[in-house]
Amino acid sequence: MKAIVDRQKCTVCGVCTDVCPFGAISLKETFIEISDECTLCGMCVDTCEFGALSLPEVGTGPAEDLASYKGVWVFAEWREGTIHQVSYELLSAGRKLADKRGVKLSAVLLGHRLDQSIQEELVSYGADVVYVVDHPELAHFRDEAYSKAVVELIRQKKPEILLAGATSMGRSFIPRVAALVKTGLTADCTELDISEEGLMLQTRPAFGGNIMATIVCPNRRPQMATVRPKVMRPEKMKDHQGRVERMALPEECFKSRVEVLQVIPEQDQTAKLTEADIIVSGGRGLRKSENFSIIEELAQLIKGAVGASRGAVEEGWIAPSHQVGQTGRTVAPTLYMAVGIAGAIQHVVGMQGSKVIVAVNKDPQAPIFDVATYGVVADLFEFMPAFIRKIKQERGESS
């Protein structure tokens, strides 16, 4: 599917070919041609002053009784007995949305042998209702079983908004939920709000972080969005009251073609990236994989996590699980140290929420200094060993 050209109105001026970010529009002698590379972004439509371009009507489907959908839901991500921090962040964000809409906020909790204290914790972050589905087949995550369970809950309770974390779990099964209930999904949102018309405004970076797009879903329900961890701020609500509702779903919901044989947690000597208060990241300036030992030594010394730029990951110097940025992890630690990282926009998008940013780069014109709280213009191979030695000296440790 691609943009539509009205050849009666088109003057073949060529402006649309210049603005298309995907090179999908080519200029012929008497007409323009749009290839299958078109993503329906709409930039050409907005630019054409003759109204010769338009987008096809998509995703409306049959009319739906939107008024029957009420309430804001947050998927509470439970794994091996604990709730992911992003769930608390989303409950705080969802509380604001629910208050603006004048509806209840609910948490959806799936798992097995779910502890009562976990349910109480969800209430303390603003949930009015906690829908609990406790079943042996939900003990380990499988996207097929989880998606069918959530879809059944949606069909029974009809929420108008559903939020989930943009984690490996959320990214795996939430798109399946959206497809099964035939609604839209906005991924990796950085801001959520309610419009005057009552629609959820879903804002996310687009075109490599160069613009912020605000997306709405006016014709289908629920309105669905995923949000990266560390984007929203969790806020406990003292003395907030809520209730727990245990849901019994048909056994068909728990059937899956996948069997989990064993769960092997990732072993890492440093703290987990998305949960760390301190992150030390390395980029292409490190030159080779062996030099990441400098980053790892400092991270262990100050009890932080090891991060990396996309360039370092693409070079194969470090595993993709360490990548910070728009195509990696979004982080917001107390201290973020960028070593040998130029500061491309896709990296900055993933760490700009950090409280203090320290940049080390020998190029004084590097873009990373534009977002840094403190900048060190120096050769990292001279500065970093000296910095590590100084920390050890202050602590009375041997080098």
Side-chain angles (χ1 to χ4, degrees):
M1 195 171 288
K2 50 193 175 184
I4 301 168
V5 183
D6 186 337
R7 293 193 178 183
Q8 298 296 322
K9 296 180 179 179
C10 179
T11 63
V12 200
C13 64
V15 173
C16 56
T17 62
D18 297 330
V19 301
C20 180
F22 303 100
I25 306 177
S26 55
L27 193 64
K28 306 299 181 182
E29 187 173 345
T30 59
F31 62 94
I32 62 169
E33 186 175 85
I34 301 178
S35 73
D36 292 335
E37 297 297 317
C38 176
T39 65
L40 301 177
C41 70
M43 292 188 72
C44 59
V45 176
D46 295 337
T47 304
C48 182
E49 60 182 283
F50 304 102
L53 291 161
S54 61
L55 298 180
E57 291 289 330
V58 295
T60 54
E64 191 169 17
D65 181 14
L66 304 184
S68 64
Y69 289 81
K70 289 184 180 180
V72 177
W73 281 15
V74 169
F75 173 72
E77 184 171 320
W78 176 89
R79 287 200 191 192
E80 309 301 325
T82 60
I83 296 290
H84 196 292
Q85 180 66 20
V86 72
S87 303
Y88 301 128
E89 297 167 11
L90 290 178
L91 281 170
S92 297
R95 181 72 266 168
K96 296 172 184 176
L97 300 180
D99 290 343
K100 284 189 176 183
R101 291 291 294 140
V103 296
K104 290 183 178 181
L105 172 66
S106 303
V108 176
L109 180 60
L110 309 183
H112 184 47
R113 295 178 180 170
L114 298 167
D115 194 281
Q116 181 67 28
S117 62
I118 292 176
Q119 301 161 36
E120 293 170 356
E121 189 76 355
L122 295 173
V123 171
S124 73
Y125 278 92
D128 299 310
V129 183
V130 180
Y131 293 116
V132 177
V133 182
D134 193 318
H135 195 280
E137 294 298 324
L138 299 177
H140 300 297
F141 172 70
R142 293 174 299 169
D143 55 6
E144 190 174 3
Y146 268 58
S147 58
K148 286 195 284 188
V150 172
V151 167
E152 181 61 27
L153 289 173
I154 290 173
R155 287 172 177 164
Q156 289 186 24
K157 299 294 184 179
K158 293 194 171 184
E160 59 182 304
I161 292 172
L162 173 59
L163 308 176
T167 60
S168 57
M169 181 187 288
R171 286 173 169 166
S172 177
F173 91 99
I174 288 296
R176 293 171 65 104
V177 173
L180 288 168
V181 297
K182 297 182 172 60
T183 191
L185 169 65
T186 305
D188 295 344
C189 292
T190 57
E191 186 179 342
L192 301 171
D193 204 352
I194 299 295
S195 70
E196 293 181 0
E197 296 79 21
L199 294 173
M200 181 169 66
L201 302 175
Q202 307 156 66
T203 303
R204 72 177 305 276
F207 299 112
N210 292 311
I211 64 171
M212 299 299 288
T214 299
I215 299 165
V216 295
C217 181
N219 301 311
R220 303 294 297 178
R221 294 292 182 271
Q223 302 163 86
M224 292 179 58
T226 61
V227 180
R228 288 189 178 190
K230 298 286 187 179
V231 172
M232 308 295 181
R233 188 177 297 277
E235 297 176 7
K236 268 199 170 185
M237 298 181 66
K238 188 178 180 180
D239 300 326
H240 180 73
Q241 299 296 312
R243 62 182 175 85
V244 174
E245 187 172 336
R246 299 188 176 278
M247 304 295 295
L249 303 183
E251 283 299 314
E252 182 66 28
C253 294
F254 307 113
K255 291 182 179 179
S256 175
R257 293 165 292 180
V258 175
E259 181 183 356
V260 179
L261 301 179
Q262 184 181 9
V263 176
I264 303 174
E266 182 180 19
Q267 298 296 322
D268 199 331
Q269 293 181 337
T270 57
K272 290 184 178 179
L273 194 62
T274 56
E275 300 172 6
D277 286 328
I278 299 173
I279 295 175
V280 185
S281 284
R284 274 203 171 101
L286 288 167
R287 299 178 187 170
K288 56 184 178 179
S289 60
E290 289 81 359
N291 292 331
F292 254 92
S293 61
I294 301 172
I295 304 298
E296 291 167 355
E297 183 179 3
L298 178 58
Q300 290 185 35
L301 192 62
I302 59 180
K303 293 181 172 57
V306 173
S309 68
R310 182 172 67 179
V313 171
E314 288 178 343
E315 292 289 346
W317 298 344
I318 194 167
S321 60
H322 292 271
Q323 184 177 328
V324 174
Q326 189 178 11
T327 53
R329 309 288 179 89
T330 299
V331 298
T334 303
L335 171 62
Y336 186 87
M337 194 166 182
V339 181
I341 295 175
I345 185 65
Q346 85 87 26
H347 184 80
V348 171
V349 165
M351 46 68 79
Q352 61 187 355
S354 306
K355 189 172 182 180
V356 176
I357 300 172
V358 177
V360 181
N361 200 299
K362 66 180 180 181
D363 179 9
Q365 304 302 318
I368 192 68
F369 290 122
D370 294 336
V371 297
T373 313
Y374 302 101
V376 180
V377 180
D379 186 329
L380 72 88
F381 296 105
E382 296 176 1
F383 174 78
M384 291 297 289
F387 185 51
I388 291 171
R389 285 196 302 270
K390 183 65 175 177
I391 293 175
K392 288 182 176 180
Q393 288 173 7
E394 291 289 332
R395 295 180 177 180
E397 300 176 10
S398 59
S399 299

